[in-house]
Amino acid sequence: MFEPREKIECPHSLVPMRKAFNGTFIAGGGFDMEDGNNAVAEDRADLIAFRRWFLANPELPKRFELNGLLNKYIRDTFYISDPVLGYTDYPFLDNTARVCS
């Protein structure tokens, strides 16, 4: 289930779906590391899909572990075929040219 990309007032909007579904519940949309950890800790989800953050950060789990800076994803390069940008050219953790906090 995906929530809106923007931060929302009610972080528990998926709780009714979570309670109705008996399987592994994956939530996504607008989560950062802290929000994702909170959602899992509070049993609002089993897993969090970070999608765009994985595109821009080839080693996202390591960055989360080290509380490292994240490359800013470039939405304009999503789903374009020419030129091929944004899927394979983001810097790795040791070479963070484009970063956001």
Side-chain angles (χ1 to χ4, degrees):
M1 296 297 303
F2 289 95
E3 294 190 286
R5 289 183 190 142
E6 299 84 28
K7 297 279 182 187
I8 55 175
E9 296 279 330
C10 179
H12 305 288
S13 63
L14 290 178
V15 171
M17 295 289 190
R18 168 72 163 141
K19 290 180 179 178
F21 185 69
N22 293 324
T24 301
F25 193 80
I26 304 171
F31 287 95
D32 59 19
M33 181 181 72
E34 182 180 0
D35 296 333
N37 285 339
N38 288 340
V40 172
E42 295 166 5
D43 200 34
R44 291 184 280 128
D46 294 307
L47 300 166
I48 301 299
F50 289 102
R51 307 172 309 154
R52 295 178 296 276
W53 291 115
F54 261 112
L55 287 176
N57 297 279
E59 67 300 84
L60 185 64
K62 188 66 166 177
R63 287 177 190 252
F64 281 175
E65 176 186 338
L66 299 173
N67 201 26
L69 294 175
L70 300 178
N71 294 320
K72 183 175 178 157
Y73 55 82
I74 304 169
R75 188 180 302 278
D76 293 342
T77 64
F78 292 177
Y79 309 112
I80 61 171
S81 60
D82 189 31
V84 177
L85 296 170
Y87 288 100
T88 60
D89 58 349
Y90 285 104
F92 283 87
L93 188 59
D94 62 345
N95 183 20
T96 54
R98 295 177 295 217
V99 295
C100 66
S101 56

